[in-house]
Amino acid sequence: MPKIIQLSPHIANLIAAGEVVERPASVVKELLENAVDAGATQVTIEIRDGGMTFMRVTDNGCGMTPEDAKTAFLRHATSKLRTAEDLVSIATMGFRGEALAAIASVSRIDLMTKTAGAISGISLLLEAGNITEETEVGCPEGTTIIIRDLFYNTPARMKFMKSDTVEGSKVTSAVQMQALAHPEVAIRFLRDGKEVLSTPGTGDLEAAVYCIYGRESGKMIPVNSRWENYTLTGYVSKPTDARPSRNLQTFFVNGRPVKSRLLIAALEEAYRNRIMVGKFPACVLHLTLPATMVDVNVHPAKTEVKFLNEKSVFDCIHYGTLGALNSTSDRPQVQFKNTNAVPAPQSVPAPAAKPAPTMAAKPAPSAPAKQENFFRTMNAEEYRNFTQVIKDAPKPTPQVASAVTKAVVQDTKPVLRSPVLIPDLPVVSKPVEQTPEPPVEPQIVTEPEQTKLPMPQEIPWRIVGELYRSYVIVEQGEEAFLIDKHAAHERILFEKLKANQEAITSQSLLTPIPCRLSAEACGEVLNNKEFLEELGFEVDAFGENTILIRQVPMDLSPENAQNALESLAADLLNGRRENKANIRDEILHTVACKAAIKAGWNTSSKELEVLVKQVMSNEDLKYCPHGRPICITLSKKQLEKQFKRS
Ligand code: ADP
Ligand code: MG
């Protein structure tokens, strides 16, 4: 047995470096955290070649005395922990006094630092963790640390590095994370000489979010809630601004960025049935809870987290988000192309003294993208610009709104009429000749069981007409609504189906319908036979690659049975089988979509009236199951502006 020896500090540091310093991004994260801990209000980060050759972090924090600066690079040197009690209270931050020692051991470092009030500062040069030069220098208060040639002395580690572009992007995302964690710090980031991020540092999280997410997340909804002794603050995207991936979901627990399936699930639960499957909300959420309720793996490079009470955490995120979503009544508005008529601020207000927020490599929309139709919903940017204008428009409290409308009603009594209560009617919708849509069996537009969040009932509305056999125009008080009849009907049917989901009734088909699917899809469908039965489908194997459909849900017209089964099979194949409730919802969406009246069909006025009545009496009908708007608004004020009457 060889003799036992203690590893040299250099070897020990290299081992630690393996844990702490994975790549340039982890170095930047550590340096940024140190700058924030030092009380900096302004931090500049600069990298070259993905950070591999050069990284600089300059802060205006408290700086270090010459002795401290030298001690800082020793292993387990920290000013942040003194006693075992400290360890408990700041455990979540992961202070281990290890970062600088570890980074220094695998790079060349230039450090310049000066404390407030000191006449001069100190400059240190280090190589592989050893101080090679030490000089007194004149420098501003705060600290500048430059890391050169990362991993120059550990070629094995160097091999694991990806291209400079990839490493650089990881650095960008580490910087963005810190910027979202600390909106109170103005963070500027330069990549190969180009500024790619600059946050205002006003402490306003929304401004920081806007700098980082840009226009992609749209105008976000603030979240502010308490649940037991947990608090949740931040911003979530509107359902209509759902994203194709989860890359704009950021969670912090007690100020530390974390990755957690639990948090994602809780967030997305709040959006159930509001956004399409396969689309994801964006968020920046800060969850604060007692340190004893969370077990953060203090490994500095990791972001995993364990909660003592997962249910409470889930509820906090879920209900917090749900509350925020339900509190916004943001029917999309009609936007006019002519911006002269509707002067809108050019960008979100940025603090005057600071440079305007820059977007991290977000290209501005191209000119053709600006070509707009007359009637359409706003995109996120326009919505943002428009909020100022909307603020001036008369709409808010129901009391005010009804007062205004009462006056209007008196003035224009002959024009307005109250909605007529129409019982369930057989629908007489028919596709018009030239549309390719197949004709369907008569459908029923029924009253919803119960309407939630009623609109101010006292404001009468009337149907003005229908545009393009697709959009119903409704006037109510000083506001007009354009309702997409298909989207509205689809949503209503979906709610109805969902309410009765324990017992979906089926209709037997006189002639079973064969449905040809891929071999894989057939297998999937037959594997889920019982489940499909619960949903009103009875199916059987029918030779090679064919399924025989014997029964379909009552609300689904037989013509659409094949289509519905096909998309269902695709859902099952796409692996959405882990959560039956979700698949069920998705099927209900499909059924509702297929069964709903279509744009382009002739729809009787009575039928439209029943439909409109349901939309107008239910604030929740803002989104169809697939996330498209059901209804957009156009106020009298907007029109007056267009016609230069105001
Ligand atoms: P930790 O952050 O866990 O204390 P580090 O190795 O990251 O360990 O830093 C060691 C010490 O160096 C810190 O505790 C702090 O006192 C000092 N330090 C590091 N960076 C800065 C900075 N930018 N400004 C002031 N002091 C700093
Ligand atoms: Mg540190």
Side-chain angles (χ1 to χ4, degrees):
M1 181 79 75
K3 191 170 171 292
I4 296 175
I5 52 154
Q6 194 171 9
L7 295 176
S8 73
H10 181 60
I11 299 287
N13 281 338
L14 283 179
I15 293 170
E19 287 181 14
V20 182
V21 192
E22 215 184 332
R23 52 184 4 122
S26 35
V27 173
V28 165
K29 170 187 171 272
E30 294 293 340
L31 298 181
L32 261 172
E33 280 176 0
N34 282 348
V36 171
D37 293 341
T41 55
Q42 283 174 7
V43 184
T44 301
I45 306 104
E46 187 183 354
I47 64 163
R48 287 183 214 143
D49 308 315
M52 293 307 299
T53 58
F54 180 93
M55 290 181 267
R56 170 176 72 93
V57 176
T58 297
D59 68 58
N60 66 349
C62 64
M64 286 177 266
T65 63
E67 300 95 82
D68 277 354
K70 286 183 269 180
T71 316
F73 292 96
L74 299 177
R75 189 131 188 252
H76 303 307
T78 176
S79 59
K80 299 163 198 171
L81 290 178
R82 301 273 152 181
T83 64
E85 286 80 66
D86 285 350
L87 194 59
V88 179
S89 60
I90 50 180
T92 53
M93 301 308 290
F95 301 132
R96 310 207 304 189
E98 234 168 26
L100 287 186
I103 295 166
S105 71
V106 290
S107 66
R108 298 187 170 98
I109 291 187
D110 290 11
L111 175 86
M112 263 194 297
T113 184
K114 188 171 92 78
T115 52
I119 299 160
S120 58
I122 186 172
S123 156
L124 294 180
L125 291 190
L126 290 99
E127 240 174 79
N130 300 311
I131 298 174
T132 57
E133 233 182 280
E134 176 185 337
T135 22
E136 199 179 305
V137 288
C139 62
E141 272 160 35
T143 303
T144 287
I145 182 161
I146 296 172
I147 316 290
R148 295 179 207 276
D149 308 324
L150 186 67
F151 302 135
Y152 80 98
N153 57 348
T154 51
R157 171 59 63 172
M158 183 78 110
K159 275 201 207 119
F160 282 100
M161 292 306 107
K162 302 254 166 57
S163 69
D164 289 354
T165 320
V166 172
E167 294 301 335
S169 304
K170 288 183 191 289
V171 172
T172 304
S173 113
V175 173
Q176 291 177 338
M177 211 50 108
Q178 291 301 318
L180 291 173
H182 298 286
E184 76 284 4
V185 181
I187 292 182
R188 208 172 147 236
F189 177 44
L190 300 150
R191 193 169 158 182
D192 294 313
K194 218 178 109 222
E195 182 183 281
V196 290
L197 176 75
S198 170
T199 64
T202 51
D204 172 13
L205 179 61
E206 191 179 16
V209 172
Y210 178 68
C211 289
I212 288 148
Y213 284 3
R215 63 194 66 194
E216 290 175 36
S217 58
K219 167 91 184 150
M220 294 176 88
I221 305 165
V223 176
N224 247 313
S225 70
R226 280 185 153 276
W227 184 262
E228 294 169 2
N229 44 3
Y230 301 177
T231 40
L232 183 72
T233 57
Y235 289 86
V236 294
S237 61
K238 288 195 285 186
T240 41
D241 291 321
R243 313 250 325 129
S245 75
R246 293 195 171 96
N247 70 337
L248 298 190
Q249 292 184 354
T250 310
F251 295 96
F252 296 94
V253 172
N254 290 347
R256 205 169 179 265
V258 298
K259 296 226 178 319
S260 155
R261 279 165 163 262
L262 178 77
L263 302 185
I264 295 174
L267 169 81
E268 291 182 0
E269 183 64 20
Y271 285 82
R272 272 270 296 280
N273 303 325
R274 292 186 194 229
I275 56 182
M276 228 190 283
V277 174
K279 293 267 186 184
F280 306 94
C283 76
V284 175
L285 287 173
H286 282 263
L287 175 66
T288 315
L289 68 172
T292 49
M293 301 297 286
V294 56
D295 177 11
V296 178
N297 183 340
V298 287
H299 188 301
K302 297 233 171 109
T303 51
E304 276 108 53
V305 66
K306 274 213 171 96
F307 298 102
L308 208 65
N309 186 344
E310 296 199 332
K311 172 90 171 62
S312 299
V313 170
F314 187 95
D315 286 348
C316 177
I317 307 274
H318 176 212
Y319 291 114
T321 307
L322 205 60
L325 292 178
N326 287 341
S327 70
T328 57
S329 168
D330 58 348
R331 282 199 162 115
Q333 302 213 349
V334 167
Q335 165 77 328
F336 292 99
K337 187 178 169 184
N338 180 357
T339 44
N340 291 340
V342 186
Q346 286 310 297
S347 63
V348 287
K354 302 259 164 78
T358 2
M359 231 89 65
K362 304 276 156 54
S366 60
K370 293 216 159 123
Q371 296 298 322
E372 311 293 4
N373 296 325
F374 184 77
F375 281 119
R376 62 164 200 71
T377 57
M378 271 189 262
N379 68 27
E381 168 70 355
E382 287 155 349
Y383 182 82
R384 185 178 296 111
N385 288 340
F386 214 74
T387 37
Q388 272 313 108
V389 182
I390 294 166
K391 271 188 199 140
D392 310 335
K395 70 169 189 180
T397 61
Q399 296 93 307
V400 173
S402 59
V404 169
T405 326
K406 263 178 202 139
V408 172
V409 172
Q410 275 153 19
D411 285 345
T412 56
K413 211 163 196 163
V415 186
L416 294 168
R417 64 187 163 92
S418 294
V420 189
L421 253 170
I422 297 192
D424 291 1
L425 284 170
V427 168
V428 285
S429 272
K430 287 282 177 287
V432 291
E433 246 86 285
Q434 61 272 46
T435 59
E437 291 286 349
V440 292
E441 294 293 299
Q443 302 291 318
I444 307 287
V445 180
T446 47
E447 298 285 308
E449 261 78 333
Q450 222 211 334
T451 53
K452 299 171 223 155
L453 289 175
M455 290 279 291
Q457 288 299 321
E458 64 275 33
I459 309 179
W461 49 263
R462 70 183 184 97
I463 295 177
V464 178
E466 192 188 357
L467 272 175
Y468 318 124
R469 291 200 199 90
S470 304
Y471 310 102
V472 192
I473 307 173
V474 178
E475 179 186 353
Q476 184 184 41
E478 303 236 314
E479 204 141 37
F481 298 88
L482 290 152
I483 298 170
D484 177 328
K485 71 179 180 187
H486 167 73
H489 193 196
E490 179 180 337
R491 176 73 192 197
I492 288 162
L493 287 178
F494 172 74
E495 295 292 350
K496 196 188 100 189
L497 289 171
K498 208 168 146 59
N500 296 328
Q501 65 173 247
E502 292 319 316
I504 293 180
T505 43
S506 305
Q507 46 175 325
S508 286
L509 300 173
L510 281 180
T511 327
I513 302 173
C515 178
R516 218 179 138 72
L517 296 170
S518 72
E520 237 188 329
C522 276
E524 203 60 46
V525 165
L526 294 172
N527 270 347
N528 287 282
K529 241 183 107 163
E530 267 176 36
F531 176 55
L532 289 172
E533 250 158 56
E534 283 175 46
L535 297 159
F537 286 90
E538 194 193 314
V539 294
D540 267 326
F542 187 63
E544 205 56 19
N545 293 356
T546 305
I547 297 284
L548 203 61
I549 309 172
R550 296 187 184 283
Q551 283 191 3
V552 294
M554 198 55 123
D555 290 287
L556 186 71
S557 68
E559 288 79 16
N560 291 315
Q562 286 159 305
N563 244 332
L565 190 70
E566 212 177 310
S567 66
L568 233 152
D571 283 349
L572 289 168
L573 268 180
N574 282 341
R576 261 182 276 114
R577 59 195 114 184
E578 69 286 347
N579 186 341
K580 284 203 168 185
N582 283 352
I583 306 179
R584 175 170 237 166
D585 277 0
E586 195 45 30
I587 291 166
L588 298 183
H589 290 158
T590 309
V591 171
C593 177
K594 302 288 179 213
I597 53 173
K598 301 283 185 296
W601 287 8
N602 280 328
T603 314
S604 76
S605 56
K606 280 186 176 170
E607 187 187 0
L608 283 184
E609 187 130 13
V610 172
L611 191 66
V612 169
K613 184 167 184 285
Q614 295 179 32
V615 175
M616 296 305 286
S617 62
N618 190 340
E619 270 286 280
D620 258 11
L621 292 179
K622 277 182 286 197
Y623 308 102
C624 86
H626 290 289
R628 277 186 292 122
I630 283 175
C631 180
I632 60 178
T633 66
L634 168 65
S635 69
K636 189 174 173 202
K637 192 107 175 177
Q638 276 178 282
L639 275 180
E640 282 171 352
K641 277 197 169 133
Q642 286 298 309
F643 289 108
K644 316 253 189 250
R645 279 167 167 268
S646 66

